[in-house]
Amino acid sequence: MSGSFKYGVSLYSYTDDFGTVMGLEDAFYHVAEASATGIEILGEAHVEGYPEPSSAWLDRWFSLVEKYRLEPTNYACWIDTDIQKRRDIGVEEAAAQLTLDLNLAKRLGFKFIRPKFGVIDDELTPHPVWEGATERVLDLAAKLDISIIPEIHAPTPIRHPVVEAYIDFIQRTGTRHFGLLIDTGIFQDRPLPSWQHETPEMRELRSGAMSFLDGIKVPVEQLAEVIDYTPFIQAKFHHIDEDLHDHNIPWEKVVPMLKSLGYTGYLSSEYEGVRDPWVAIEQVRRQHALIRKLEREYDQQHAAPAAVEA
Amino acid sequence: MLERNHIQTSGFSNIGPEGNRTGFRVRLRQPNYRGTRVSLLEGIDVTVDGERYPSQENRFLIDGREYGHADLDTLIDVRWPVGTTVDVLIDKPGGLEPGVHLVETVVLYRHPYFPPQFRPVPVPDSRHATIVL
Protein backbone atom coordinates (compact mmCIF):
# COMPACT_ATOMS: atom_id res chain seq x y z
CA MET A 1 0.00 0.00 0.00
CA SER A 2 1.35 3.41 -0.92
CA GLY A 3 0.72 6.44 1.26
CA SER A 4 -2.72 7.68 2.14
CA PHE A 5 -4.56 10.92 1.70
CA LYS A 6 -4.51 13.63 4.31
CA TYR A 7 -7.92 14.93 5.31
CA GLY A 8 -8.68 18.57 5.89
CA VAL A 9 -11.56 21.03 5.92
CA SER A 10 -11.75 24.53 4.54
CA LEU A 11 -13.72 26.84 6.79
CA TYR A 12 -15.31 28.09 3.57
CA SER A 13 -17.54 25.04 4.10
CA TYR A 14 -19.15 26.81 7.05
CA THR A 15 -20.01 30.01 5.16
CA ASP A 16 -23.03 31.80 6.67
CA ASP A 17 -22.76 29.67 9.81
CA PHE A 18 -19.50 31.44 10.62
CA GLY A 19 -20.38 34.67 12.39
CA THR A 20 -24.05 33.77 12.90
CA VAL A 21 -24.13 30.42 14.69
CA MET A 22 -20.43 29.52 14.76
CA GLY A 23 -17.33 31.20 16.11
CA LEU A 24 -13.70 30.38 15.37
CA GLU A 25 -13.33 27.84 18.16
CA ASP A 26 -16.58 26.11 17.14
CA ALA A 27 -15.15 25.78 13.65
CA PHE A 28 -11.93 24.20 14.95
CA TYR A 29 -14.01 21.82 17.07
CA HIS A 30 -16.12 20.62 14.15
CA VAL A 31 -13.08 20.14 11.89
CA ALA A 32 -11.24 18.15 14.57
CA GLU A 33 -14.34 16.06 15.37
CA ALA A 34 -14.49 15.01 11.71
CA SER A 35 -11.09 13.38 12.36
CA ALA A 36 -9.45 15.80 9.97
CA THR A 37 -5.86 16.83 10.58
CA GLY A 38 -5.73 19.99 8.45
CA ILE A 39 -7.52 23.31 8.59
CA GLU A 40 -7.80 25.67 5.63
CA ILE A 41 -8.96 29.26 6.02
CA LEU A 42 -9.76 32.31 3.98
CA GLY A 43 -7.53 35.11 5.21
CA GLU A 44 -10.09 37.81 4.59
CA ALA A 45 -12.86 35.94 6.37
CA HIS A 46 -11.45 34.04 9.28
CA VAL A 47 -8.58 36.26 10.43
CA GLU A 48 -10.16 38.85 12.69
CA GLY A 49 -8.69 42.26 11.97
CA TYR A 50 -7.31 41.17 8.56
CA PRO A 51 -4.82 42.18 7.30
CA GLU A 52 -3.40 43.16 10.70
CA PRO A 53 -4.69 40.80 13.39
CA SER A 54 -4.08 41.83 16.98
CA SER A 55 -1.53 39.97 19.08
CA ALA A 56 -4.44 38.74 21.22
CA TRP A 57 -6.03 37.17 18.15
CA LEU A 58 -2.72 35.60 17.09
CA ASP A 59 -2.32 34.08 20.57
CA ARG A 60 -5.81 32.67 20.29
CA TRP A 61 -5.07 31.21 16.86
CA PHE A 62 -2.01 29.36 18.11
CA SER A 63 -3.82 28.11 21.20
CA LEU A 64 -6.63 26.71 19.02
CA VAL A 65 -4.18 25.05 16.60
CA GLU A 66 -2.57 23.37 19.60
CA LYS A 67 -5.74 22.48 21.48
CA TYR A 68 -7.43 20.86 18.48
CA ARG A 69 -4.17 19.50 17.01
CA LEU A 70 -4.90 20.83 13.55
CA GLU A 71 -2.28 21.66 10.96
CA PRO A 72 -2.77 24.93 9.06
CA THR A 73 -2.81 23.87 5.41
CA ASN A 74 -3.91 26.37 2.79
CA TYR A 75 -4.61 30.08 3.21
CA ALA A 76 -6.86 31.61 0.57
CA CYS A 77 -6.35 35.19 -0.55
CA TRP A 78 -7.56 37.53 -3.28
CA ILE A 79 -5.85 39.79 -5.74
CA ASP A 80 -8.60 42.30 -6.45
CA THR A 81 -7.47 43.32 -9.90
CA ASP A 82 -10.31 45.70 -10.77
CA ILE A 83 -9.98 47.33 -7.41
CA GLN A 84 -12.03 50.36 -8.48
CA LYS A 85 -14.71 50.72 -11.12
CA ARG A 86 -12.35 52.37 -13.56
CA ARG A 87 -8.93 51.29 -12.34
CA ASP A 88 -7.12 47.97 -12.51
CA ILE A 89 -4.13 47.38 -10.28
CA GLY A 90 -0.63 47.04 -11.72
CA VAL A 91 2.02 44.40 -11.15
CA GLU A 92 3.47 46.29 -8.20
CA GLU A 93 0.18 46.50 -6.30
CA ALA A 94 -0.58 42.87 -7.04
CA ALA A 95 2.86 41.84 -5.78
CA ALA A 96 2.33 43.93 -2.63
CA GLN A 97 -0.94 42.07 -1.94
CA LEU A 98 0.77 38.70 -2.44
CA THR A 99 3.61 39.78 -0.15
CA LEU A 100 1.16 40.76 2.57
CA ASP A 101 -0.66 37.44 2.38
CA LEU A 102 2.50 35.33 2.15
CA ASN A 103 3.81 36.95 5.33
CA LEU A 104 0.52 36.62 7.20
CA ALA A 105 0.09 33.00 6.07
CA LYS A 106 3.61 32.22 7.29
CA ARG A 107 2.91 33.86 10.63
CA LEU A 108 -0.11 31.63 11.09
CA GLY A 109 1.78 28.49 10.12
CA PHE A 110 0.36 27.78 6.64
CA LYS A 111 2.21 25.86 3.91
CA PHE A 112 0.24 27.06 0.88
CA ILE A 113 -1.50 30.19 -0.28
CA ARG A 114 -4.18 30.18 -2.94
CA PRO A 115 -4.32 33.56 -4.65
CA LYS A 116 -7.57 34.26 -6.48
CA PHE A 117 -6.67 36.70 -9.22
CA GLY A 118 -9.36 38.68 -10.96
CA VAL A 119 -10.29 37.30 -14.38
CA ILE A 120 -10.80 38.81 -17.81
CA ASP A 121 -13.25 36.42 -19.49
CA ASP A 122 -15.86 33.68 -19.08
CA GLU A 123 -13.17 30.98 -19.03
CA LEU A 124 -11.61 32.56 -15.96
CA THR A 125 -8.36 33.59 -17.65
CA PRO A 126 -6.50 35.45 -14.90
CA HIS A 127 -5.74 39.14 -15.24
CA PRO A 128 -2.32 39.52 -16.94
CA VAL A 129 -0.70 40.95 -13.78
CA TRP A 130 -0.68 37.43 -12.30
CA GLU A 131 2.57 36.41 -13.93
CA GLY A 132 4.72 39.45 -13.19
CA ALA A 133 3.36 39.78 -9.67
CA THR A 134 3.92 36.11 -8.86
CA GLU A 135 7.43 36.18 -10.27
CA ARG A 136 8.28 39.12 -8.03
CA VAL A 137 7.37 37.20 -4.88
CA LEU A 138 8.92 33.82 -5.76
CA ASP A 139 12.06 34.54 -3.74
CA LEU A 140 9.96 35.48 -0.73
CA ALA A 141 7.87 32.32 -1.14
CA ALA A 142 11.08 30.27 -1.23
CA LYS A 143 12.42 32.04 1.86
CA LEU A 144 9.17 31.40 3.74
CA ASP A 145 8.84 27.93 2.20
CA ILE A 146 5.25 28.53 1.13
CA SER A 147 3.89 27.38 -2.21
CA ILE A 148 1.64 29.65 -4.24
CA ILE A 149 -1.12 27.53 -5.75
CA PRO A 150 -3.79 29.20 -7.90
CA GLU A 151 -6.84 27.00 -8.31
CA ILE A 152 -8.10 25.21 -11.37
CA HIS A 153 -11.81 25.74 -10.91
CA ALA A 154 -14.85 25.15 -13.14
CA PRO A 155 -15.44 26.27 -15.84
CA THR A 156 -11.67 26.03 -16.47
CA PRO A 157 -10.82 22.40 -17.32
CA ILE A 158 -7.40 20.73 -17.03
CA ARG A 159 -6.66 20.96 -20.74
CA HIS A 160 -6.81 24.73 -21.08
CA PRO A 161 -4.46 27.66 -21.83
CA VAL A 162 -4.79 28.84 -18.20
CA VAL A 163 -3.27 25.57 -16.96
CA GLU A 164 -0.67 25.58 -19.74
CA ALA A 165 0.40 29.10 -18.75
CA TYR A 166 0.86 28.05 -15.11
CA ILE A 167 2.90 25.01 -16.10
CA ASP A 168 5.00 27.08 -18.51
CA PHE A 169 5.65 29.47 -15.64
CA ILE A 170 6.88 26.64 -13.40
CA GLN A 171 9.15 25.34 -16.16
CA ARG A 172 10.46 28.78 -17.13
CA THR A 173 11.26 29.92 -13.59
CA GLY A 174 12.26 26.52 -12.24
CA THR A 175 10.43 27.39 -9.03
CA ARG A 176 9.46 24.75 -6.50
CA HIS A 177 7.10 27.20 -4.78
CA PHE A 178 4.33 27.44 -7.34
CA GLY A 179 1.82 24.77 -8.29
CA LEU A 180 -1.78 23.98 -9.06
CA LEU A 181 -4.67 23.59 -6.68
CA ILE A 182 -7.25 21.32 -8.26
CA ASP A 183 -10.86 22.03 -7.24
CA THR A 184 -12.84 18.81 -7.61
CA GLY A 185 -15.77 20.81 -8.97
CA ILE A 186 -14.16 20.28 -12.40
CA PHE A 187 -15.21 16.60 -12.19
CA GLN A 188 -18.86 17.44 -11.48
CA ASP A 189 -20.92 15.32 -13.89
CA ARG A 190 -24.49 16.05 -12.83
CA PRO A 191 -26.22 19.46 -12.66
CA LEU A 192 -26.51 21.63 -9.57
CA PRO A 193 -30.19 22.32 -8.88
CA SER A 194 -29.17 25.77 -7.68
CA TRP A 195 -26.02 27.62 -6.80
CA GLN A 196 -25.71 30.02 -3.91
CA HIS A 197 -24.19 32.82 -5.99
CA GLU A 198 -26.64 32.39 -8.86
CA THR A 199 -28.85 35.32 -9.81
CA PRO A 200 -31.94 35.12 -12.07
CA GLU A 201 -29.79 36.65 -14.82
CA MET A 202 -27.22 33.89 -14.45
CA ARG A 203 -29.96 31.26 -14.43
CA GLU A 204 -31.06 32.40 -17.88
CA LEU A 205 -27.52 31.72 -19.08
CA ARG A 206 -27.50 28.05 -18.03
CA SER A 207 -27.20 27.19 -21.71
CA GLY A 208 -24.35 29.69 -22.18
CA ALA A 209 -21.82 31.28 -19.84
CA MET A 210 -23.25 29.54 -16.79
CA SER A 211 -23.57 26.08 -18.33
CA PHE A 212 -20.68 24.97 -16.13
CA LEU A 213 -23.21 24.70 -13.30
CA ASP A 214 -24.44 21.58 -15.08
CA GLY A 215 -20.93 20.14 -14.66
CA ILE A 216 -17.92 20.40 -16.97
CA LYS A 217 -17.21 16.68 -16.54
CA VAL A 218 -13.43 16.68 -16.85
CA PRO A 219 -12.35 13.02 -17.24
CA VAL A 220 -10.55 11.99 -14.06
CA GLU A 221 -7.83 10.32 -16.15
CA GLN A 222 -6.59 13.81 -17.07
CA LEU A 223 -5.37 14.24 -13.50
CA ALA A 224 -2.35 12.25 -14.64
CA GLU A 225 -1.29 15.21 -16.79
CA VAL A 226 -1.08 17.65 -13.87
CA ILE A 227 -0.61 15.56 -10.75
CA ASP A 228 3.12 16.33 -10.62
CA TYR A 229 2.27 20.01 -10.29
CA THR A 230 -0.58 19.49 -7.81
CA PRO A 231 0.35 19.56 -4.12
CA PHE A 232 -3.14 20.34 -2.80
CA ILE A 233 -6.73 19.47 -3.66
CA GLN A 234 -9.89 21.24 -2.61
CA ALA A 235 -12.57 18.59 -2.30
CA LYS A 236 -15.46 20.69 -3.60
CA PHE A 237 -18.91 19.14 -3.20
CA HIS A 238 -22.53 20.20 -2.94
CA HIS A 239 -24.74 17.45 -1.54
CA ILE A 240 -24.24 13.97 -0.10
CA ASP A 241 -27.37 12.08 0.95
CA GLU A 242 -28.01 9.65 3.84
CA ASP A 243 -26.77 6.74 1.74
CA LEU A 244 -23.39 8.49 1.30
CA HIS A 245 -24.27 9.12 -2.32
CA ASP A 246 -22.83 12.34 -3.74
CA HIS A 247 -25.30 13.92 -6.15
CA ASN A 248 -22.74 15.81 -8.25
CA ILE A 249 -19.12 14.69 -7.84
CA PRO A 250 -18.10 11.16 -8.95
CA TRP A 251 -15.87 10.27 -5.97
CA GLU A 252 -15.96 6.60 -7.01
CA LYS A 253 -13.86 7.68 -10.02
CA VAL A 254 -11.86 10.51 -8.44
CA VAL A 255 -10.58 8.57 -5.42
CA PRO A 256 -9.19 5.49 -7.28
CA MET A 257 -7.55 7.78 -9.84
CA LEU A 258 -5.81 9.85 -7.16
CA LYS A 259 -4.75 6.66 -5.40
CA SER A 260 -3.35 5.14 -8.57
CA LEU A 261 -1.39 8.34 -9.19
CA GLY A 262 0.11 8.09 -5.72
CA TYR A 263 -1.41 11.34 -4.43
CA THR A 264 -0.74 11.68 -0.70
CA GLY A 265 -1.56 15.35 -0.18
CA TYR A 266 -4.60 16.92 1.39
CA LEU A 267 -8.20 16.58 0.34
CA SER A 268 -9.59 19.72 1.93
CA SER A 269 -13.38 19.79 2.03
CA GLU A 270 -15.10 22.69 0.37
CA TYR A 271 -18.81 22.28 0.97
CA GLU A 272 -20.80 24.59 -1.27
CA GLY A 273 -24.44 23.65 -0.92
CA VAL A 274 -27.57 24.57 0.98
CA ARG A 275 -26.77 27.25 3.52
CA ASP A 276 -29.20 26.41 6.30
CA PRO A 277 -27.69 26.55 9.77
CA TRP A 278 -25.44 23.59 10.71
CA VAL A 279 -26.08 21.64 7.49
CA ALA A 280 -22.43 22.04 6.47
CA ILE A 281 -21.18 20.30 9.62
CA GLU A 282 -23.03 17.10 8.72
CA GLN A 283 -22.23 17.38 5.01
CA VAL A 284 -18.49 17.59 5.70
CA ARG A 285 -18.67 14.50 7.92
CA ARG A 286 -20.51 12.57 5.21
CA GLN A 287 -17.89 13.54 2.66
CA HIS A 288 -15.06 12.35 4.89
CA ALA A 289 -16.88 9.09 5.61
CA LEU A 290 -17.45 8.57 1.88
CA ILE A 291 -13.90 9.34 0.73
CA ARG A 292 -12.35 7.34 3.56
CA LYS A 293 -14.56 4.37 2.62
CA LEU A 294 -13.49 4.60 -1.03
CA GLU A 295 -9.85 4.89 -0.01
CA ARG A 296 -10.12 1.80 2.21
CA GLU A 297 -11.76 -0.16 -0.59
CA TYR A 298 -9.00 0.82 -3.00
CA ASP A 299 -6.33 -0.16 -0.51
CA GLN A 300 -7.97 -3.53 0.14
CA GLN A 301 -8.19 -4.27 -3.57
CA HIS A 302 -4.57 -3.33 -4.12
CA ALA A 303 -3.01 -4.82 -1.01
CA ALA A 304 -0.19 -7.23 -1.62
CA PRO A 305 -1.67 -10.74 -1.65
CA ALA A 306 -1.31 -12.40 1.75
CA ALA A 307 1.21 -15.21 1.91
CA VAL A 308 -0.54 -18.52 1.37
CA GLU A 309 -0.05 -20.83 4.31
CA ALA A 310 1.40 -24.17 3.46
CA MET B 1 -23.37 36.39 16.81
CA LEU B 2 -25.46 38.09 14.17
CA GLU B 3 -28.84 37.09 12.73
CA ARG B 4 -28.92 34.72 9.77
CA ASN B 5 -30.55 37.16 7.37
CA HIS B 6 -28.32 39.78 5.83
CA ILE B 7 -30.85 42.31 7.11
CA GLN B 8 -30.64 42.50 10.89
CA THR B 9 -33.73 43.36 12.89
CA SER B 10 -31.49 44.43 15.78
CA GLY B 11 -30.23 47.78 14.56
CA PHE B 12 -33.26 48.56 12.40
CA SER B 13 -34.17 51.87 14.00
CA ASN B 14 -35.16 55.48 13.56
CA ILE B 15 -32.61 58.29 13.57
CA GLY B 16 -33.09 61.56 15.44
CA PRO B 17 -34.96 62.40 18.65
CA GLU B 18 -38.42 61.00 19.24
CA GLY B 19 -40.97 63.41 17.81
CA ASN B 20 -38.39 64.80 15.39
CA ARG B 21 -37.09 61.78 13.46
CA THR B 22 -34.88 62.59 10.49
CA GLY B 23 -34.60 59.14 8.99
CA PHE B 24 -33.88 55.51 9.75
CA ARG B 25 -31.13 52.91 9.52
CA VAL B 26 -31.02 49.43 8.03
CA ARG B 27 -28.30 47.21 9.44
CA LEU B 28 -26.78 44.48 7.23
CA ARG B 29 -24.24 41.82 8.03
CA GLN B 30 -21.52 41.21 5.46
CA PRO B 31 -23.43 39.06 2.92
CA ASN B 32 -20.33 37.74 1.18
CA TYR B 33 -18.34 34.66 2.27
CA ARG B 34 -15.22 36.79 2.60
CA GLY B 35 -14.63 40.27 3.93
CA THR B 36 -14.21 42.81 1.18
CA ARG B 37 -12.60 46.14 0.62
CA VAL B 38 -15.39 48.68 0.33
CA SER B 39 -14.32 49.76 -3.17
CA LEU B 40 -15.76 46.43 -4.40
CA LEU B 41 -19.17 47.45 -3.07
CA GLU B 42 -21.05 49.27 -5.82
CA GLY B 43 -23.97 50.28 -3.64
CA ILE B 44 -26.84 49.15 -1.44
CA ASP B 45 -30.42 49.80 -2.55
CA VAL B 46 -33.13 49.61 0.10
CA THR B 47 -36.89 49.23 -0.23
CA VAL B 48 -39.22 49.51 2.77
CA ASP B 49 -42.91 48.67 2.37
CA GLY B 50 -42.53 49.17 -1.37
CA GLU B 51 -40.88 52.57 -1.18
CA ARG B 52 -37.44 52.64 -2.82
CA TYR B 53 -34.36 54.30 -1.36
CA PRO B 54 -31.67 54.01 -4.04
CA SER B 55 -28.03 53.72 -3.07
CA GLN B 56 -27.14 57.08 -4.63
CA GLU B 57 -29.24 58.84 -1.98
CA ASN B 58 -28.10 56.78 0.99
CA ARG B 59 -25.21 57.14 3.39
CA PHE B 60 -23.24 54.30 4.92
CA LEU B 61 -21.86 53.82 8.41
CA ILE B 62 -18.79 51.60 8.06
CA ASP B 63 -16.53 50.86 11.01
CA GLY B 64 -17.74 53.97 12.83
CA ARG B 65 -17.39 56.41 9.92
CA GLU B 66 -20.02 57.79 7.61
CA TYR B 67 -19.63 57.78 3.84
CA GLY B 68 -21.72 58.76 0.83
CA HIS B 69 -22.44 56.55 -2.16
CA ALA B 70 -19.79 58.26 -4.30
CA ASP B 71 -17.15 57.59 -1.62
CA LEU B 72 -17.50 53.81 -1.83
CA ASP B 73 -15.36 53.43 -4.96
CA THR B 74 -12.48 55.29 -3.30
CA LEU B 75 -12.31 53.15 -0.14
CA ILE B 76 -9.70 50.63 -1.21
CA ASP B 77 -8.24 50.25 2.27
CA VAL B 78 -11.47 50.22 4.28
CA ARG B 79 -12.84 46.73 4.76
CA TRP B 80 -16.17 45.17 5.65
CA PRO B 81 -15.22 41.98 7.51
CA VAL B 82 -17.31 38.82 7.76
CA GLY B 83 -19.38 38.82 10.95
CA THR B 84 -19.66 42.60 11.08
CA THR B 85 -22.34 45.04 10.01
CA VAL B 86 -22.76 48.16 7.93
CA ASP B 87 -25.64 50.56 8.58
CA VAL B 88 -27.41 52.13 5.62
CA LEU B 89 -28.55 55.57 6.76
CA ILE B 90 -31.63 56.89 4.98
CA ASP B 91 -33.11 60.38 5.16
CA LYS B 92 -36.84 60.41 5.79
CA PRO B 93 -38.38 63.24 7.79
CA GLY B 94 -40.50 61.69 10.53
CA GLY B 95 -38.72 58.34 10.22
CA LEU B 96 -40.64 55.07 10.01
CA GLU B 97 -43.76 54.24 12.05
CA PRO B 98 -43.00 51.92 14.96
CA GLY B 99 -44.13 48.43 14.00
CA VAL B 100 -43.36 45.71 11.50
CA HIS B 101 -42.06 46.62 8.04
CA LEU B 102 -41.11 44.65 4.95
CA VAL B 103 -37.47 45.48 4.28
CA GLU B 104 -35.74 44.55 1.01
CA THR B 105 -32.10 45.17 0.17
CA VAL B 106 -29.85 44.63 -2.82
CA VAL B 107 -26.11 44.74 -2.22
CA LEU B 108 -24.20 45.22 -5.46
CA TYR B 109 -20.85 43.44 -5.44
CA ARG B 110 -18.07 43.56 -7.98
CA HIS B 111 -16.23 40.26 -7.65
CA PRO B 112 -13.04 40.58 -9.73
CA TYR B 113 -12.90 36.77 -10.12
CA PHE B 114 -16.39 36.57 -11.65
CA PRO B 115 -16.66 36.81 -15.45
CA PRO B 116 -16.86 40.51 -16.44
CA GLN B 117 -20.49 40.17 -17.59
CA PHE B 118 -21.50 39.39 -13.99
CA ARG B 119 -19.99 42.49 -12.40
CA PRO B 120 -21.58 43.75 -10.32
CA VAL B 121 -23.67 40.87 -9.05
CA PRO B 122 -26.80 41.78 -7.07
CA VAL B 123 -27.11 40.06 -3.69
CA PRO B 124 -30.72 40.38 -2.50
CA ASP B 125 -32.34 39.84 0.88
CA SER B 126 -35.77 40.59 2.34
CA ARG B 127 -37.52 40.07 5.63
CA HIS B 128 -39.95 41.57 8.08
CA ALA B 129 -38.22 43.69 10.68
CA THR B 130 -39.51 45.81 13.49
CA ILE B 131 -39.04 49.43 14.45
CA VAL B 132 -39.54 49.46 18.22
CA LEU B 133 -39.95 53.20 18.72
Side-chain angles (χ1 to χ4, degrees), chain A residues 114-294:
Chain A
R114 183 237 52 196
K116 209 166 175 82
F117 289 93
V119 304
I120 56 169
D121 58 27
D122 286 349
E123 296 185 9
L124 309 187
T125 302
H127 190 285
V129 293
W130 82 263
E131 188 160 9
T134 306
E135 195 158 359
R136 282 192 192 203
V137 301
L138 279 184
D139 286 347
L140 176 65
K143 186 178 136 212
L144 303 177
D145 199 18
I146 291 185
S147 287
I148 301 168
I149 49 171
E151 71 186 327
I152 307 308
H153 187 292
T156 311
I158 285 175
R159 290 181 180 167
H160 190 274
V162 169
V163 179
E164 286 165 19
Y166 289 151
I167 292 175
D168 286 348
F169 178 81
I170 295 168
Q171 291 171 344
R172 178 171 69 74
T173 60
T175 180
R176 290 187 298 110
H177 291 90
F178 185 88
L180 307 177
L181 183 164
I182 299 288
D183 178 300
T184 56
I186 65 173
F187 305 116
Q188 181 197 326
D189 60 2
R190 284 146 292 163
L192 297 186
S194 63
W195 184 53
Q196 66 175 117
H197 305 293
E198 194 173 18
T199 61
E201 294 77 16
M202 290 180 186
R203 189 134 197 115
E204 284 177 16
L205 291 165
R206 275 277 179 133
S207 57
M210 299 305 287
S211 61
F212 74 90
L213 294 178
D214 291 336
I216 64 167
K217 309 177 187 65
V218 170
V220 295
E221 294 73 21
Q222 291 180 13
L223 272 168
E225 298 161 24
V226 288
I227 199 72
D228 290 346
Y229 304 106
T230 305
F232 195 84
I233 291 176
Q234 275 178 346
K236 167 71 56 63
F237 74 113
H238 310 278
H239 182 66
I240 297 176
D241 66 23
E242 308 86 74
D243 300 319
L244 285 193
H245 173 66
D246 189 306
H247 287 207
N248 313 99
I249 311 291
W251 296 108
E252 70 288 353
K253 294 181 187 162
V254 174
V255 167
M257 182 52 55
L258 286 172
K259 294 295 290 181
S260 72
L261 293 170
Y263 181 76
T264 54
Y266 268 101
L267 289 172
S268 187
S269 296
E270 250 204 356
Y271 171 68
E272 187 175 273
V274 170
R275 290 300 183 195
D276 290 335
W278 304 296
V279 167
I281 299 168
E282 168 67 3
Q283 284 288 315
V284 165
R285 294 174 67 86
R286 289 183 188 179
Q287 188 199 36
H288 285 222
L290 169 60
I291 298 179
R292 284 176 185 274
K293 178 167 84 83
L294 291 167

Side-chain angles (χ1 to χ4, degrees), chain A residues 17 44 83-84 119 275, chain B residues 4 34-35 39 73 79 119:
Chain A
D17 281 358
E44 205 172 351
I83 195 166
Q84 291 179 278
V119 304
R275 290 300 183 195
Chain B
R4 191 72 170 191
R34 68 153 172 148
S39 63
D73 190 56
R79 294 174 188 276
R119 298 181 214 157

Side-chain angles (χ1 to χ4, degrees), chain A residues 41-108:
Chain A
I41 67 163
L42 318 179
E44 205 172 351
H46 304 114
V47 178
E48 190 181 303
Y50 175 92
E52 289 164 356
S54 65
S55 52
W57 188 89
L58 289 167
D59 288 347
R60 184 143 176 273
W61 169 261
F62 292 121
S63 74
L64 290 174
V65 165
E66 194 175 303
K67 177 175 176 185
Y68 292 95
R69 298 175 186 278
L70 290 173
E71 173 188 27
T73 57
N74 182 44
Y75 166 108
C77 55
W78 285 262
I79 315 301
D80 294 323
T81 43
D82 54 339
I83 195 166
Q84 291 179 278
K85 276 189 201 167
R86 278 172 282 281
R87 182 175 78 84
D88 285 9
I89 60 173
V91 166
E92 199 128 315
E93 256 178 303
Q97 181 69 54
L98 280 169
T99 300
L100 181 159
D101 285 306
L102 277 167
N103 283 316
L104 183 51
K106 179 67 181 181
R107 240 174 131 187
L108 301 179

Side-chain angles (χ1 to χ4, degrees), chain B residues 4-117:
Chain B
R4 191 72 170 191
N5 270 86
H6 304 154
I7 301 166
Q8 307 287 300
T9 193
S10 290
F12 181 47
S13 57
N14 279 315
I15 299 171
E18 231 177 325
N20 191 22
R21 302 295 198 198
T22 57
F24 65 96
R25 75 179 69 224
V26 174
R27 184 164 292 170
L28 292 164
R29 74 169 168 95
Q30 166 61 276
N32 197 22
Y33 68 90
R34 68 153 172 148
T36 43
R37 55 181 91 239
V38 174
S39 63
L40 300 179
L41 183 62
E42 294 200 358
I44 304 175
D45 296 324
V46 174
T47 303
V48 178
D49 302 328
E51 189 168 342
R52 293 194 66 239
Y53 303 94
S55 185
Q56 289 75 4
E57 294 167 20
N58 300 335
R59 286 168 298 129
F60 306 91
L61 186 65
I62 305 170
D63 195 20
R65 285 191 61 181
E66 227 180 280
Y67 303 97
H69 175 82
D71 298 326
L72 299 177
D73 190 56
T74 68
L75 301 175
I76 62 174
D77 292 321
V78 178
R79 294 174 188 276
W80 183 3
V82 171
T84 72
T85 59
V86 159
D87 287 358
V88 184
L89 308 175
I90 295 171
D91 285 336
K92 182 179 171 63
L96 292 172
E97 285 293 316
V100 182
H101 298 270
L102 177 62
V103 184
E104 299 164 86
T105 54
V106 177
V107 179
L108 292 162
Y109 257 120
R110 186 174 67 259
H111 297 307
Y113 55 87
F114 268 31
Q117 62 172 318

